[in-house]
Amino acid sequence: MSSLRLRRGIATVSLSGLLADKLTAAAAAGFDGVEIFDNDLIASPLSPAEVAKRCADLGLSVDLFQPVRDVEGVSPRAFATAERRFRAKLAVAAGLGARVVLVCSNVQADAVDDPDLSAAQLARLGDLAAEHDIAIAYEALAWGRHVDRVGRAWDIVQLADHSHVTLAVDTFHMLSRGDGAEALDGVPGGRIGFLQVADAPVLDMNVLEWSRHHRSFPGQGTMDVAAVVEKVVSAGYDGPLSLEVFSDVVREAPAADTARDAIRSLAYLEDEVARRLPDAEPVAPATPRRLDGAFVELSSSASLEDLLGRLGFSIAGWHRHKPVVWWRNGGANVLVNQAARTPALGLRASPATDVARRAAQLGWSSVTVDRAADDTPLPGITSPVGIPVFVSGEGSDDWRSDFAEGPQSPGPSDGWAGIDHVGMGVPEGRLNEEVSFLHALLGLQASPLEEFVDPHGRVRSRAFEPCEGDLRLVVNVLDTTDARREARADGINQIAFACHDLVREVRRLRANGVPLIAVPDNYYDDLAARFDLTPDRVTELRELGILYDRVGDGELLQAFTPVLGQGFYLELLERRHGYRGYGAANAHVRLAAQHL
Amino acid sequence: MSSLRLRRGIATVSLSGLLADKLTAAAAAGFDGVEIFDNDLIASPLSPAEVAKRCADLGLSVDLFQPVRDVEGVSPRAFATAERRFRAKLAVAAGLGARVVLVCSNVQADAVDDPDLSAAQLARLGDLAAEHDIAIAYEALAWGRHVDRVGRAWDIVQLADHSHVTLAVDTFHMLSRGDGAEALDGVPGGRIGFLQVADAPVLDMNVLEWSRHHRSFPGQGTMDVAAVVEKVVSAGYDGPLSLEVFSDVVREAPAADTARDAIRSLAYLEDEVARRLPDAEPVAPATPRRLDGAFVELSSSASLEDLLGRLGFSIAGWHRHKPVVWWRNGGANVLVNQAARTPALGLRASPATDVARRAAQLGWSSVTVDRAADDTPLPGITSPVGIPVFVSGEGSDDWRSDFAEGPQSPGPSDGWAGIDHVGMGVPEGRLNEEVSFLHALLGLQASPLEEFVDPHGRVRSRAFEPCEGDLRLVVNVLDTTDARREARADGINQIAFACHDLVREVRRLRANGVPLIAVPDNYYDDLAARFDLTPDRVTELRELGILYDRVGDGELLQAFTPVLGQGFYLELLERRHGYRGYGAANAHVRLAAQHL
């Protein structure tokens, strides 16, 4: 087995700043080469030769100059003008030292729908390019006037039949139009001049707007990018694997952050592709077969410890070396750490070290933790929004082995069932990165996006679950203006525990003085209208302030605290008969009640 | 002529906050009634009777309870459940004192496509509603499963043939599907139970997402809302004119701001409708027939006065009573005001008082200005982002009559041509309000949206021009993260002057030490590739740092300063052969150069 290692590239259009800043960021992140975007060059005080020099100094190759627009499929009398423009752009590309120029399909209203004409014009441009030893890579824009599918572009490249006229493959343009890897059947790798990769969420909107604003790095959307790359590589392509992503996010984010996110996504993509190829070695250990929740770690405070006691937690142990106390309520474990500044998450995977190695190979930052020589090695990775995520193993690697167990603690079989899910606030600008962390690194699968109305904005939520195991994470993007009363927007902002009998537990919590949100009477009137519940049942829920949902046979019962001082709230829930969701129908009521 | 005065209503879903806050905001803005959104009630601690009481105390009627979903077009065996749910919602509506309940067309995958079934079910629900003296208004959601056009809903209402089953008309649902007023041909006003109004920009996207995120108040989008309202009113409808607008903006904006914006839009809509009806009196004087630019007013500073001198401005006069100096360069007038805190704009309309009366009638705030008894009454209106806009008349109303003219000032026929356009930074959240100011109040027409890449984000621009006159305003939404070097995001951020010979003027400005942005050499290489310019011409532009554009025969030459201390930059331009745009092709180069 050989490792699959294509040259890693990124388009300058995918990074913010001025051209010189973009190059610096790409080099710092470890890219091998760049695509120079014409508008970036035009707006730069650096000449093409100076850009070439800068790239060489930074160890970057100039893999592509892009794009040249509307130079084929033009009426014969307008072709002289197109040719003049193409010659000028060839001179620029040559100055940059680029060996490939991207020509994209004509988008003008007066473009001519004639493959033979386009092919003849491309062949003529190919002659001009050949003089500079430059190849044309011809791309079907998804919104091209006539050439808008990769198959049509390939037809034209074949008709052109020119050594310096090749096909450009762009995963977004293909997949957004419904063309999968099979659209490249029979295309030899040697005739593919360039491979651009981008992912995106599936959106029902104008494809140009979709492309401009919502592309993402591989692993962050829902497109099968790896299948196209596998096909291209299998066909013998050995040029760069180059990211071309535009979005409102990358236009605003610091270039260094984007470049780091970008190169992690390429490492992930290579790993994905290698796993599909018969004779290539994966880049990193596979995602964990199974992931379970282990604990949450919170900052110590008197009010937190008081609340844990009222909730039914008791001290299960003390860390042998650090000021960390382990609280337990049945299967639910909470670590209270005097040194923790932000809530952290503990997962369980086996072996834990594989997760840590995968993180390192894909370029994720590990958490720096003070650790005594005989402490269990508990690898930690920091998520993009700054959540420390620790990975515990089984047996001798178990996180509990660092704790001296308390004598009077009830066993895990009593009390609550465990942590049901953990909510993470993620700012819009870091959402894609966080999705990479959850999906590309940990292998969690995303549920569809849900959107909830908040009294002062909206909350967009997406649940992530493993194929196997009980870990459930919910990413919440808070677009709200009333920060005062909200859960934190960048870090753990919800901890949901599961129990076996919510009615009994809520009675106990209320008796213990645990603060729970007041659920309006109107909610219960609506509940009675929506579901066929007995009046006694509704009365019980109403009296206890329990929220209810039902999907098919599954039932969910939920109770919530207000947002607590540390910026998170607690939920206690009971799932019955296989209810799988998170109570989406109740979210607006919970959000409003947390503002009362 | 009688004045058209429908009851003004707003849906609580159009306002942020909790239900009680929404009601307070609606009343404070002067609405007559509200639509109570079911989810707002469900999340409220106020019972229906308490809401009714609160509304009565605030002088608001409860015009509608909405929506009841998926109760028609259901399979006969599921109808009992729908009926039970409907009965519960009727009890709520009765508790609220609502006389109308909105039933929207079934969106479920298992909805039955059978108008007779839907009609029979609606008739049965109509019987139940009649017991409470409540009418059903049946609405075709634009994304209804089978009933998604107003014509289909009307067919079903006719089939139901029930006194308490009426048609709901919603301008968004109609116009988003391409149904104009003519879709209501033959519908008697008495059979229309409710009229909801919303506008929206035309967007090529999923209609449900469009509706949820991008509705706007009438006058802020591009839909012909007035035509539908005219049709409904002409047909004899005399119920409320009620705004139902959802958007990311209204979910986040303070309810009081939204309510004020909303009621202004209804006043504008009434005015528009009255002008189309043969026997109704307009609400306010018409928009000005002609609008010209008069002046900009800037805060006084030594560096500004130095710059004005270098630009070729000289003092043309002094205000008789206030510390305001009038600077002039030909037709371009700049007032430098020691007391001004933010740049202001002066327009010219005839008569100016009509604009002021229109502003007052439509609910806009006037600028408070210290004014001596013999000063020219110069009405001022504050735009939503806080730009003071003063309106000068002609002759004795002219703003210049307050100034003692300076002796040595050259006349307006020498020097620059005038103010070409003024750019206004507007935050996303206030964009719709600002559009109302420009379009609904002043009668300016919007050009299509243009989007420019900034090194640290993007700028979305839209020009507004009058039907007649030289006023040109450009609204810029800055989505950028590098505030340090940007023009101001909320107020006047660009002042563009026109001249007759830009080449000559730029030579002079450079000789006078006026700071102008450095335009990269690459830009001129690209210019030579794009346009058939002589090498001498390109050399001249390059040496002077002049940007160039051509559309058809029209040519534009532009030069820019960096962003100046007060948060705006200056442009000097020359339009040739009827060039009408603003140099969109050059914007990314200018934005990058302003970051160098």
Side-chain angles (χ1 to χ4, degrees):
Chain A
M1 299 229 293
S2 64
S3 79
L4 171 77
R5 181 67 172 85
L6 298 174
R7 294 178 56 72
R8 292 177 181 172
I10 188 165
T12 57
V13 70
S14 305
L15 299 166
S16 68
L18 298 170
L19 181 56
D21 310 320
K22 296 169 185 240
L23 299 177
T24 304
F31 282 95
D32 301 310
V34 289
E35 307 176 18
I36 302 286
F37 177 53
D38 194 13
N39 272 5
D40 281 332
L41 183 71
I42 288 170
S44 171
L46 301 176
S47 71
E50 287 166 335
V51 172
K53 171 76 165 56
R54 183 74 61 97
C55 287
D57 291 348
L58 290 166
L60 294 168
S61 56
V62 177
D63 295 329
L64 184 77
F65 174 70
Q66 64 110 335
V68 185
R69 300 183 190 278
D70 307 327
V71 287
E72 54 68 47
V74 299
S75 71
R77 81 192 139 64
F79 187 65
T81 303
E83 194 180 307
R84 177 173 56 76
R85 197 151 49 79
F86 187 72
R87 281 178 194 271
K89 294 298 169 187
L90 271 179
V92 171
L96 290 167
R99 299 269 62 84
V100 187
V101 164
L102 186 95
V103 167
C104 46
S105 58
N106 199 320
V107 300
Q108 298 300 320
D110 62 0
V112 182
D113 186 11
D114 179 348
D116 290 311
L117 178 76
S118 288
Q121 290 176 338
L122 280 178
R124 169 63 189 147
L125 301 179
D127 288 344
L128 300 175
E131 292 169 15
H132 293 275
D133 195 20
I134 285 177
I136 289 170
Y138 178 55
E139 174 176 82
L141 291 177
W143 53 92
R145 184 83 177 98
H146 303 295
V147 181
D148 56 359
R149 306 290 282 257
V150 72
R152 293 212 67 186
W154 174 236
D155 290 344
I156 290 169
V157 168
Q158 286 180 288
L159 287 169
D161 191 22
H162 192 289
S163 59
H164 286 68
V165 177
T166 67
L167 181 70
V169 172
D170 179 301
T171 61
F172 179 87
H173 289 298
M174 284 180 57
L175 295 162
S176 66
R177 295 302 307 268
D179 285 329
E182 72 292 344
L184 299 174
D185 279 348
V187 180
R191 300 297 295 139
I192 296 174
F194 210 76
L195 173 57
Q196 291 179 313
V197 289
D199 197 349
V202 170
L203 296 171
D204 178 8
M205 64 186 295
N206 175 284
V207 69
L208 174 56
E209 295 296 311
W210 183 16
S211 170
R212 274 192 188 154
H213 299 290
H214 300 284
R215 288 190 183 202
S216 62
F217 294 114
Q220 298 172 346
T222 53
M223 292 181 163
D224 193 355
V225 177
V228 176
V229 175
E230 178 203 355
K231 180 84 175 190
V232 171
V233 170
S234 298
Y237 173 82
D238 62 357
L241 183 66
S242 190
L243 292 160
E244 191 196 26
V245 167
F246 343 104
S247 73
D248 299 341
V249 171
V250 303
R251 282 192 193 95
E252 294 190 24
D257 292 357
T258 304
R260 204 168 43 237
D261 188 31
I263 202 143
R264 282 191 302 243
S265 82
L266 275 193
Y268 159 74
L269 179 61
E270 283 171 16
D271 186 58
E272 283 290 290
V273 173
R275 289 174 191 284
R276 298 177 187 216
L277 290 171
D279 55 355
E281 197 174 343
V283 173
T287 54
R289 190 184 53 77
R290 178 184 175 94
L291 270 176
D292 294 285
F295 59 81
V296 290
E297 182 183 76
L298 303 173
S299 309
S300 153
S301 78
S303 62
L304 175 67
E305 282 149 40
D306 173 68
L307 178 64
L308 287 172
R310 290 172 193 270
L311 288 167
F313 282 83
S314 56
I315 292 179
W318 290 267
H319 196 280
R320 294 179 205 279
H321 309 289
K322 291 190 280 188
V324 182
V325 181
W326 167 21
W327 292 72
R328 183 169 64 197
N329 183 344
N333 298 294
V334 174
L335 304 186
V336 178
N337 185 346
Q338 281 184 29
R341 273 184 260 156
T342 182
L345 186 64
L347 316 180
R348 180 189 301 281
S350 180
T353 47
D354 271 7
V355 179
R357 279 177 51 224
R358 180 170 173 84
Q361 296 290 343
L362 298 187
W364 293 95
S365 308
S366 56
V367 178
T368 313
V369 185
D370 293 332
R371 184 166 284 144
D374 57 346
D375 276 0
T376 304
L378 197 64
I381 313 142
T382 306
S383 92
V385 297
I387 300 171
V389 176
F390 296 102
V391 188
S392 167
E394 310 278 356
S396 65
D397 282 349
D398 191 289
W399 61 275
R400 283 170 292 209
S401 54
D402 288 339
F403 287 80
E405 294 217 20
Q408 355 83 306
S409 162
S413 57
D414 303 312
W416 291 355
I419 296 172
D420 185 86
H421 62 277
V422 172
M424 307 155 65
V426 177
E428 169 72 25
R430 300 220 92 119
L431 179 60
N432 283 341
E433 276 186 81
E434 199 75 20
V435 169
S436 274
F437 183 83
L438 299 174
H439 177 66
L441 171 61
L442 297 177
L444 303 177
Q445 301 297 318
S447 305
L449 186 69
E450 306 231 42
E451 191 167 321
F452 308 118
V453 172
D454 175 273
H456 297 283
R458 61 193 175 126
V459 176
R460 284 174 289 156
S461 281
R462 177 165 276 168
F464 286 81
E465 299 180 7
C467 297
E468 201 179 321
D470 70 13
L471 182 69
R472 293 187 186 91
L473 301 176
V474 177
V475 166
N476 297 308
V477 178
L478 277 58
D479 299 313
T480 60
T481 50
D482 190 29
R484 191 168 43 99
R485 291 192 269 193
E486 303 290 348
R488 71 166 66 209
D490 58 347
I492 290 178
N493 60 14
Q494 178 194 18
I495 305 163
F497 299 102
C499 70
H500 305 291
D501 183 345
L502 189 69
V503 168
R504 187 186 67 195
E505 288 299 307
V506 169
R507 277 192 213 287
R508 194 175 58 74
L509 300 190
R510 291 204 176 271
N512 285 352
V514 172
L516 295 174
I517 60 168
V519 181
D521 264 345
N522 298 329
Y523 170 81
Y524 295 99
D525 295 341
D526 181 63
L527 211 56
R530 286 195 292 141
F531 300 114
D532 200 12
L533 300 171
T534 64
D536 283 357
R537 186 93 189 276
V538 173
T539 301
E540 182 176 72
L541 296 174
R542 186 192 302 258
E543 282 173 4
L544 292 168
I546 292 175
L547 296 159
Y548 175 88
D549 191 29
R550 189 167 70 204
V551 175
D553 288 336
E555 287 182 307
L556 178 71
L557 285 81
Q558 305 174 282
F560 295 91
T561 70
V563 177
L564 303 172
Q566 292 189 23
F568 58 80
Y569 61 92
L570 304 181
E571 175 180 356
L572 185 59
L573 62 78
E574 179 189 345
R575 295 173 183 275
R576 294 182 182 173
H577 314 303
Y579 182 97
R580 290 180 50 80
Y582 297 83
N586 296 326
H588 74 105
V589 177
R590 188 261 303 165
L591 286 162
Q594 287 179 331
H595 281 78
L596 285 174
Chain B
M1 300 228 294
S2 64
S3 79
L4 172 76
R5 182 66 172 86
L6 298 174
R7 295 179 54 73
R8 292 177 180 173
I10 188 165
T12 57
V13 70
S14 305
L15 299 167
S16 68
L18 298 170
L19 181 56
D21 310 320
K22 296 170 184 238
L23 299 178
T24 304
F31 281 95
D32 301 310
V34 289
E35 307 175 17
I36 302 286
F37 177 52
D38 193 13
N39 272 5
D40 282 332
L41 182 71
I42 287 170
S44 171
L46 301 177
S47 71
E50 286 167 334
V51 172
K53 170 76 165 57
R54 183 73 63 98
C55 287
D57 291 348
L58 290 165
L60 293 168
S61 57
V62 176
D63 295 329
L64 184 78
F65 174 71
Q66 63 111 333
V68 185
R69 300 183 191 277
D70 307 328
V71 287
E72 54 68 49
V74 300
S75 71
R77 80 192 140 63
F79 187 64
T81 304
E83 193 180 308
R84 177 172 55 76
R85 198 151 48 79
F86 187 72
R87 281 179 194 271
K89 293 298 168 186
L90 271 179
V92 171
L96 290 167
R99 298 268 62 84
V100 187
V101 164
L102 186 95
V103 168
C104 46
S105 58
N106 198 320
V107 299
Q108 297 300 321
D110 62 1
V112 182
D113 187 10
D114 179 348
D116 290 310
L117 178 76
S118 288
Q121 291 175 338
L122 280 178
R124 168 64 189 146
L125 301 179
D127 287 343
L128 299 176
E131 292 169 16
H132 294 274
D133 195 19
I134 286 176
I136 289 169
Y138 179 56
E139 174 176 82
L141 291 177
W143 53 91
R145 183 82 176 100
H146 303 296
V147 181
D148 56 358
R149 306 289 282 258
V150 71
R152 293 212 68 185
W154 173 235
D155 290 345
I156 290 169
V157 168
Q158 286 179 287
L159 286 170
D161 191 23
H162 192 289
S163 59
H164 286 68
V165 177
T166 67
L167 181 70
V169 172
D170 178 302
T171 61
F172 180 86
H173 289 298
M174 284 179 58
L175 295 162
S176 66
R177 296 302 307 266
D179 286 328
E182 71 292 344
L184 299 173
D185 279 349
V187 180
R191 301 297 296 138
I192 296 174
F194 210 75
L195 173 57
Q196 292 179 313
V197 288
D199 197 350
V202 170
L203 296 171
D204 177 8
M205 64 186 295
N206 175 283
V207 69
L208 174 57
E209 294 296 311
W210 184 16
S211 170
R212 272 192 189 156
H213 299 290
H214 300 285
R215 288 190 183 203
S216 61
F217 294 114
Q220 298 172 346
T222 53
M223 292 180 165
D224 193 355
V225 178
V228 176
V229 175
E230 179 203 353
K231 181 84 176 189
V232 171
V233 169
S234 298
Y237 172 82
D238 62 358
L241 184 66
S242 189
L243 291 161
E244 191 196 26
V245 167
F246 343 103
S247 73
D248 300 341
V249 171
V250 303
R251 282 190 194 97
E252 294 189 25
D257 291 358
T258 304
R260 203 167 46 236
D261 188 30
I263 201 142
R264 283 192 302 243
S265 83
L266 275 193
Y268 159 74
L269 180 60
E270 283 171 17
D271 186 58
E272 284 290 290
V273 172
R275 289 173 192 284
R276 298 178 188 216
L277 290 171
D279 56 354
E281 196 174 345
V283 173
T287 54
R289 190 184 54 76
R290 178 184 175 95
L291 269 176
D292 294 286
F295 59 80
V296 290
E297 182 184 76
L298 302 173
S299 310
S300 155
S301 77
S303 62
L304 174 67
E305 282 149 39
D306 173 69
L307 178 64
L308 288 172
R310 291 172 193 270
L311 289 167
F313 283 83
S314 57
I315 293 178
W318 292 267
H319 196 279
R320 294 179 205 279
H321 308 290
K322 290 189 281 189
V324 181
V325 182
W326 167 20
W327 293 72
R328 182 169 65 198
N329 183 344
N333 298 294
V334 173
L335 304 187
V336 178
N337 185 346
Q338 281 184 29
R341 273 185 259 156
T342 181
L345 187 63
L347 315 179
R348 181 188 301 279
S350 180
T353 47
D354 271 7
V355 179
R357 279 178 49 224
R358 181 170 173 85
Q361 296 289 344
L362 298 186
W364 293 94
S365 308
S366 56
V367 179
T368 312
V369 184
D370 293 331
R371 184 166 285 144
D374 58 345
D375 276 1
T376 304
L378 197 64
I381 313 141
T382 306
S383 92
V385 298
I387 300 172
V389 176
F390 297 100
V391 188
S392 167
E394 309 277 355
S396 64
D397 282 348
D398 192 289
W399 62 275
R400 282 170 294 208
S401 53
D402 288 339
F403 287 81
E405 294 216 20
Q408 357 80 306
S409 163
S413 57
D414 304 313
W416 291 355
I419 296 171
D420 185 86
H421 62 277
V422 172
M424 306 155 65
V426 177
E428 169 72 27
R430 300 220 93 120
L431 178 60
N432 283 340
E433 276 186 82
E434 199 75 19
V435 169
S436 275
F437 183 83
L438 299 174
H439 176 66
L441 170 61
L442 297 177
L444 302 178
Q445 302 297 317
S447 306
L449 186 69
E450 307 232 42
E451 190 167 321
F452 308 118
V453 172
D454 175 273
H456 298 283
R458 61 193 175 126
V459 176
R460 284 175 289 157
S461 280
R462 178 165 275 169
F464 286 81
E465 298 179 8
C467 297
E468 201 179 320
D470 70 13
L471 181 70
R472 293 187 187 93
L473 301 176
V474 177
V475 165
N476 297 309
V477 178
L478 277 58
D479 299 313
T480 61
T481 49
D482 191 27
R484 192 167 44 98
R485 293 191 270 193
E486 303 290 346
R488 71 166 66 207
D490 58 348
I492 290 178
N493 60 13
Q494 177 193 19
I495 305 162
F497 299 102
C499 69
H500 305 291
D501 183 345
L502 190 70
V503 167
R504 188 186 67 195
E505 287 299 308
V506 169
R507 276 192 214 287
R508 193 176 57 74
L509 300 190
R510 290 203 176 272
N512 285 350
V514 172
L516 295 174
I517 59 168
V519 182
D521 264 344
N522 298 328
Y523 169 81
Y524 295 99
D525 295 341
D526 181 63
L527 210 57
R530 286 195 293 141
F531 300 113
D532 200 13
L533 301 170
T534 64
D536 284 357
R537 185 96 189 275
V538 174
T539 301
E540 183 176 73
L541 296 172
R542 186 192 302 259
E543 282 173 5
L544 292 169
I546 292 175
L547 296 159
Y548 175 88
D549 190 30
R550 189 168 70 203
V551 174
D553 289 336
E555 287 182 308
L556 178 72
L557 285 81
Q558 306 174 281
F560 295 91
T561 71
V563 178
L564 304 172
Q566 292 190 23
F568 57 81
Y569 61 92
L570 303 181
E571 176 180 357
L572 185 60
L573 62 78
E574 179 189 345
R575 295 173 183 274
R576 294 181 180 173
H577 315 303
Y579 182 96
R580 289 179 50 82
Y582 297 82
N586 296 326
H588 74 105
V589 177
R590 188 261 304 164
L591 285 161
Q594 286 179 332
H595 282 79
L596 284 174

